[in-house]
Amino acid sequence: MSNTEKFISTLADGQVYKKDFIILGTGILDGESINGAQIKIPLKTLNRHGLIAGATGTGKTKTLQVIAEQLSLKGIPSVLMDLKGDLSGLAKPGTANDFIKKRSEVIGVDYNPMGLPVELMSISNEKGVKLKATVSEFGPVLISQILELNDTQRGVISLIFRYCDVNHLPLLDLKDLKRVLQFITNEGKEAIQKEFGQVSSASVNTIMRKIIELEQQGAEEFFGEKSFDVEDFVRTENGKGVISVIRLTDIQNRPKLFSTFMLSLLSEIYETFPEQGDADQPKLCLFIDEAHLVFSNASNDLLEKIEAIVKLIRSKGVGVYFCTQTPTDVPENILGQLGLKVQHALRAFTAKDRKAISKTAENYPDSPFYKTSEVLTAMGIGEALVTALNEKGIPTPLAHTLVRAPITRMDILENSEIIDLVSNSKLVDKYNQDIDRESAFEMLEKKMIQVEEEQQKATLPKPSLPRTRVKEEESLIEELSKNTMVRQLGRTIFRELTRGILGSFTRKR
């Protein structure tokens, strides 16, 4: 048996599947693409998460595009974080040329260009369905982790949420949260102390600065209503899974907002989706492009939260795929959870690069056909080292793979095409409404106005009766009193004089 035959046989034996799968490409051996050595990924294990890594310009995004396409054709919806603006082309058919046709023939697949159902979304000012969430939905723990608060400050946030629950003050946006912070250290200070104890002004000031920092990264666009229902990610059209492309090109320099959104999305999906168990295919797949933005600026608490959700969310039928330049961008605890690994070429320009390549090679299964560390630096554009989990959870043989070409456009949509796509969306009317209902901010403002009005009423002088009539009555009474007293005094003197005179007459007789 020749080496090529052994290669084909090894791949075939390691990829025996009873259920459905997608074809990612074909194996390469000794620099030649091998017909009949297809690389297949079983749908059953796509909820075990994955990694797409490689240097800039090696084809990572196109591989992500191919996987999202193949999932859509199988009726599996996906969510794509598009930080570079490269993925909107999924909505339009690709263009066939001789190079693509030849590649497809070698791989053993037909090339049928087509557009797929795409929903453009945004958490900022980009065109598309607006994704929002309320402060209350985050809860005190998640808000504290996002703001990177210490234990004392977390206690203040928990107090605020409790106070607002008891007093029916909805916390919808950051404006509400800031107003309640002001309330507990100013006009509501005494009421808070009676019920919850004293709150440190220094802690409140620190929290306020953290919120302002988050606002400066555009978080006021994200917090509010109407909250997005994650069930709207799980849709199909004409049997094809809807691909939700979240356009994030304008937040690359705002990593805190990006990590906030990612954590809220994963948390909401985990809390909302029911347990799926060991299903034949995932319910939803999430692809996080430029994943280093999630992890490089996240606090330890935030990382622990993300790691915990990634470990648990697969039971909900959800696969999470990280797309980044090097595997070291992803924490080791998460790397250990990944089933599918697609490694594009790495470049070794420095000693540090060579060490990173050696470390990366150790993360892949040994292969009798390759020296992994050498292949990592020798692969061309559109080539990758691929290993997945078979239906029994065993890693498939490592294969240097020629990745198939996308069937959708390998370029971005024109602005007019984006406008047309958004205008035809059924979700835009549902979510793109400016809603600012009465919440904690308005309620506390109204309460303070009422208090001020009551205080003003209390300080006003009481209305007095007309003084003229009263004075006249008082003068009359005084005059009468005086006349009575004079008369009484005169009578007394007259009696005394009369008695004296009569007494003298009596004595003389």
Side-chain angles (χ1 to χ4, degrees):
M1 184 182 291
S2 67
N3 201 37
T4 300
E5 291 173 334
K6 288 180 181 178
F7 179 67
I8 294 172
S9 176
T10 300
L11 290 180
D13 292 342
Q15 300 180 112
V16 177
Y17 307 134
K18 295 180 180 180
K19 303 295 182 179
D20 205 357
F21 55 84
I22 62 174
I23 298 173
L24 189 58
T26 194
I28 297 175
L29 184 65
D30 299 328
E32 296 291 330
S33 303
I34 308 300
N35 198 312
Q38 289 182 336
I39 307 303
K40 304 171 183 176
I41 313 298
L43 300 183
K44 190 177 180 67
T45 61
L46 281 177
N47 65 335
R48 303 296 182 91
H49 314 316
L51 173 71
I52 303 171
T56 300
T58 55
K60 299 188 303 296
T61 303
K62 300 311 171 198
T63 298
L64 186 159
Q65 186 173 345
V66 166
I67 296 175
E69 290 174 349
Q70 296 304 308
L71 290 175
S72 178
L73 293 173
K74 297 293 183 180
I76 302 170
S78 57
V79 178
L80 279 57
M81 310 293 157
D82 187 11
L83 277 91
K84 300 191 295 290
D86 297 341
L87 298 170
S88 60
L90 280 156
K92 298 296 180 180
T95 303
N97 56 41
D98 292 339
F99 176 78
I100 289 177
K101 289 179 179 178
K102 184 177 180 181
R103 175 176 286 212
S104 299
E105 288 175 2
V106 172
I107 295 172
V109 295
D110 296 328
Y111 186 76
N112 299 314
M114 68 176 71
L116 295 170
V118 169
E119 189 75 65
L120 297 180
M121 300 181 170
S122 172
I123 63 171
S124 57
N125 292 319
E126 289 280 2
K127 296 181 180 68
V129 179
K130 300 301 181 185
L131 303 180
K132 292 187 177 184
T134 65
V135 172
S136 294
E137 288 169 339
F138 270 67
V141 175
L142 209 52
I143 286 290
S144 298
Q145 290 173 336
I146 290 164
L147 297 176
E148 300 178 10
L149 305 180
N150 60 30
D151 291 341
T152 302
Q153 295 155 1
R154 288 179 184 178
V156 174
I157 291 293
S158 297
L159 181 153
I160 286 174
F161 273 77
R162 176 60 181 166
Y163 179 81
C164 290
D165 285 341
V166 172
N167 292 276
H168 307 292
L169 299 173
L171 288 172
L172 303 182
D173 51 29
L174 295 180
K175 180 178 63 175
D176 292 328
L177 186 57
K178 290 194 298 182
R179 185 63 184 90
V180 179
L181 279 169
Q182 294 170 345
F183 176 77
I184 66 173
T185 53
N186 293 310
E187 61 268 21
K189 186 174 182 179
E190 293 183 4
I192 292 293
Q193 285 182 352
K194 290 179 182 178
E195 189 171 355
F196 300 101
Q198 189 171 2
V199 177
S200 167
S201 298
S203 296
V204 170
N205 292 336
T206 300
I207 297 170
M208 191 72 77
R209 287 193 294 270
K210 298 274 189 178
I211 294 173
I212 292 172
E213 178 187 349
L214 193 61
E215 282 182 324
Q216 289 174 339
Q217 295 202 20
E220 71 276 5
E221 294 283 343
F222 174 62
F223 285 100
E225 293 184 310
K226 184 179 183 180
S227 297
F228 188 79
D229 183 357
V230 291
E231 289 291 343
D232 283 330
F233 284 133
V234 190
R235 296 183 297 135
T236 59
E237 289 184 10
N238 300 320
K240 299 181 180 69
V242 173
I243 302 172
S244 300
V245 178
I246 303 178
R247 307 177 70 217
L248 303 169
T249 55
D250 57 347
I251 68 163
Q252 291 189 36
N253 60 343
R254 293 179 278 174
K256 185 175 284 292
L257 176 59
F258 182 53
S259 59
T260 298
F261 166 67
M262 272 309 308
L263 185 54
S264 69
L265 178 61
L266 291 172
S267 299
E268 186 68 16
I269 289 174
Y270 175 71
E271 293 172 5
T272 303
F273 285 7
E275 292 287 334
Q276 182 170 306
D278 197 14
D280 292 338
Q281 66 181 43
K283 183 175 182 177
L284 178 70
C285 287
L286 280 79
F287 294 86
I288 306 173
D289 200 4
E290 302 297 328
H292 64 278
L293 292 178
V294 178
F295 302 109
S296 60
N297 294 279
S299 64
N300 290 333
D301 287 339
L302 202 58
L303 285 176
E304 289 176 5
K305 183 71 173 179
I306 295 173
E307 291 171 9
I309 292 176
V310 168
K311 290 176 182 178
L312 298 172
I313 203 171
R314 72 176 186 84
S315 65
K316 309 286 186 170
V318 178
V320 183
Y321 293 80
F322 302 96
C323 189
T324 187
Q325 292 195 9
T326 64
T328 54
D329 292 333
V330 181
E332 290 185 358
N333 290 340
I334 292 180
L335 280 177
Q337 302 293 318
L338 306 182
L340 173 63
K341 296 179 183 178
V342 181
Q343 178 66 60
H344 287 267
L346 294 175
R347 307 299 181 219
F349 296 110
T350 66
K352 184 178 180 180
D353 292 336
R354 289 190 290 272
K355 288 181 181 179
I357 290 170
S358 298
K359 187 175 181 180
T360 300
E362 295 173 0
N363 293 326
Y364 291 90
D366 293 331
S367 171
F369 305 102
Y370 310 111
K371 188 174 181 181
T372 306
S373 58
E374 293 179 357
V375 176
L376 282 173
T377 58
M379 291 186 292
I381 298 172
E383 299 177 9
L385 282 172
V386 178
T387 180
L389 295 178
N390 65 21
E391 292 176 339
K392 295 181 179 179
I394 301 171
T396 59
L398 182 66
H400 178 190
T401 303
L402 178 67
V403 181
R404 67 190 298 173
I407 61 174
T408 55
R409 185 187 296 180
M410 289 188 282
D411 200 356
I412 62 175
L413 297 182
E414 300 290 337
N415 190 54
S416 59
E417 292 175 320
I418 291 175
I419 293 173
D420 288 341
L421 187 60
V422 173
S423 63
N424 292 323
S425 168
K426 297 178 181 178
L427 297 183
V428 167
D429 292 337
K430 181 178 179 180
Y431 291 106
N432 290 24
Q433 304 174 24
D434 292 329
I435 300 175
D436 189 16
R437 64 184 174 95
E438 189 176 63
S439 54
F441 179 87
E442 290 80 9
M443 289 180 177
L444 289 177
E445 287 293 309
K446 187 182 294 185
K447 183 177 181 179
M448 287 313 303
I449 291 173
Q450 291 174 349
V451 171
E452 289 175 0
E453 290 177 349
E454 291 174 0
Q455 289 176 346
Q456 288 176 357
K457 289 179 181 179
T459 56
L460 289 174
K462 294 182 180 181
S464 57
L465 294 172
R467 301 298 297 172
T468 306
R469 179 66 179 169
V470 173
K471 286 182 178 179
E472 290 176 356
E473 292 176 352
E474 288 179 353
S475 299
L476 180 60
I477 292 170
E478 290 174 358
E479 187 66 25
L480 291 174
S481 298
K482 291 175 181 177
N483 292 340
T484 303
M485 291 176 64
V486 169
R487 286 197 296 270
Q488 289 178 346
L489 182 60
R491 288 172 183 169
T492 302
I493 295 172
F494 180 76
R495 282 198 303 270
E496 293 298 326
L497 288 173
T498 303
R499 288 174 183 171
I501 293 170
L502 292 175
S504 61
F505 287 159
T506 304
R507 286 193 296 271
K508 287 179 179 180
R509 287 178 183 179

